[in-house]
Amino acid sequence: MIPPLHPIADAIRQHTRFLVTSHVNPDGDAIGSMLAMYWVLRTLDKEVVLFNESGLPRRFDWVIGGEAISSTLPDTKPEIIIVLDCGDIRRPGELLQPWLATLPIINLDHHLGNPHFGTYNWVDQRIAATGEMVGMIARVFGIPFSGPLGEALYLALTADTGDFCYNNTRPQTLEMAAEILRQGLQAGPFYERKLATGTLNQLRMRGEVLQNAQIFAGGRICLFRFTQELFHRTGTTAEDTEGLVNEGLTIRGVDVAVSLREDGHRIKFSLRSKGETNVQYIAAQFGGGGHRNAAGGAIPTANMDDALRLIVEAITAALEVPCNTTVFSS
Ligand SMILES: [Mn+2]
């Protein structure tokens, strides 16, 4: 049994009014782990508010309970805040910072370099998804992975393992997935609902980005670019870029795929890698974070070409001197 699990279960027992949050621009693990925690707490007769500063992304509007996620803070303070899938305390966004500074926090996360910002911390980078941790908490309370809880957990697991393909897929991950299926979730219909959330505009925009892919470092880096001009012309938004960066890794010989996206006065980047190449180390150089094979952050420039030069330099340097060191965000 993992040591922090029981102190966290005790902290849940001892409190009544919870606020559950995750990072801005939530992914499937952020949404899935929030909703899974919601169903666990509801089963335990707790009061629970779900808060995400970005709200529920449209591509998750099919998930049961998604409408419970609010992008505005409730009028009354909770007793305790559960922060899910956040590598540091800034990740939930600005609105929540005053409460995060004054209320007790349960920090459940699996990002490299999480500085244990909570009152109660369970941080384990070996665990595939934060949702898997919530599932383990549900087990402590004897709550079965049925109905909406099973769906939320399955969303988290599939999101962070690339549908059980990435190296973070462990026997325990699949055992949890098996437990969810035994409780009635149907993998096919789930996958179809998750898959069919795009638009023709999105498909065409992504086609254009793929068409303009660039290669650097002798074929070891593949780079994609998303500009505001492209979004305007194709009727798409930043949300439509989700996951495209992974396509770069399909090229033989590419070790790192990177996408750059114009976002106001900064350029956001997303990194993916194969094998031992640690992109968390690269992202941390720009104040970002993530995992060994998937990380992201932002470069403080509005100029795409400047950002491109900086990120390609950093990746090239990392490829030349492989580094497995975890870098803590400042
Ligand atoms: Mn995660």
Side-chain angles (χ1 to χ4, degrees):
M1 191 62 74
I2 292 169
L5 184 50
H6 285 283
I8 284 169
D10 283 341
I12 289 173
R13 279 188 197 97
Q14 286 157 13
H15 293 85
T16 307
R17 290 181 296 108
F18 292 79
L19 184 143
V20 177
T21 192
S22 61
H23 54 84
V24 292
N25 303 318
D27 55 14
D29 186 25
I31 295 298
S33 60
M34 279 182 78
L35 286 169
M37 187 57 86
Y38 178 75
W39 299 117
V40 167
L41 294 172
R42 290 281 301 269
T43 305
L44 297 171
D45 281 327
K46 307 291 186 183
E47 288 175 38
V48 46
V49 169
L50 298 183
F51 170 77
N52 188 286
E53 193 171 295
S54 311
L56 181 75
R58 261 197 70 191
R59 69 183 188 282
F60 298 122
D61 62 4
W62 53 273
V63 184
I64 302 168
E67 67 284 352
I69 297 176
S70 173
S71 58
T72 55
L73 288 174
D75 295 332
T76 46
K77 266 192 196 180
E79 290 170 8
I80 188 162
I81 299 175
I82 301 182
V83 180
L84 299 167
D85 202 39
C86 290
D88 68 64
I89 200 166
R90 298 186 308 267
R91 295 286 286 133
E94 287 308 311
L95 280 176
L96 199 57
Q97 292 304 321
W99 286 1
L100 287 170
T102 50
L103 293 171
I105 294 171
I106 297 175
N107 167 23
L108 295 184
D109 184 43
H110 66 140
H111 287 89
L112 286 169
N114 182 307
H116 291 234
F117 55 81
T119 318
Y120 306 90
N121 298 282
W122 181 16
V123 176
D124 189 339
Q125 68 196 46
R126 295 167 303 179
I127 296 178
T130 302
E132 192 177 337
M133 305 168 98
V134 180
M136 289 157 89
I137 291 170
R139 278 190 189 129
V140 170
F141 290 108
I143 302 170
F145 299 157
S146 53
L149 174 59
E151 184 188 73
L153 292 174
Y154 205 76
L155 173 64
L157 296 181
T158 51
D160 272 18
T161 60
D163 297 316
F164 308 113
C165 289
Y166 301 155
N167 199 44
N168 61 2
T169 307
R170 300 172 308 146
Q172 295 93 319
T173 322
L174 292 173
E175 279 155 10
M176 187 171 286
E179 212 172 315
I180 296 165
L181 295 188
R182 271 194 204 98
Q183 291 291 331
L185 185 125
Q186 293 196 292
F190 173 91
Y191 180 69
E192 286 163 13
R193 273 182 290 153
K194 189 173 79 146
L195 183 72
T197 57
T199 62
L200 181 60
N201 283 351
Q202 181 193 79
L203 190 77
R204 287 178 170 160
M205 181 275 284
R206 292 163 79 105
E208 189 171 328
V209 170
L210 293 172
Q211 190 74 41
N212 293 313
Q214 290 174 280
I215 289 292
F216 297 93
R220 299 182 71 190
I221 302 170
C222 177
L223 183 140
F224 301 120
R225 285 191 274 187
F226 299 99
T227 62
Q228 289 300 325
E229 182 277 326
L230 175 70
F231 291 145
H232 290 143
R233 183 162 46 76
T234 56
T236 55
T237 68
E239 211 194 311
D240 295 303
T241 67
E242 192 60 36
L244 187 99
V245 63
N246 294 300
E247 296 297 325
L249 296 183
T250 63
I251 301 171
R252 196 186 296 257
V254 165
D255 291 312
V256 175
V258 53
S259 66
L260 299 175
R261 171 165 66 78
E262 290 175 353
D263 181 56
H265 295 293
R266 59 191 185 162
I267 304 286
K268 295 199 77 173
F269 64 85
S270 187
L271 291 160
R272 297 291 184 273
S273 68
K274 291 175 186 159
E276 296 299 312
T277 306
N278 183 0
V279 290
Q280 191 267 350
Y281 168 75
I282 300 165
Q285 294 168 37
F286 300 97
H291 310 278
R292 187 185 65 182
N293 298 123
I299 300 173
T301 172
N303 187 304
M304 184 66 97
D305 293 330
D306 289 345
L308 187 154
R309 188 173 41 76
L310 288 168
I311 198 87
V312 169
E313 275 174 16
I315 301 168
T316 305
L319 287 171
E320 280 163 10
V321 186
C323 178
N324 291 314
T325 313
T326 296
V327 178
F328 288 77
S329 301
S330 53

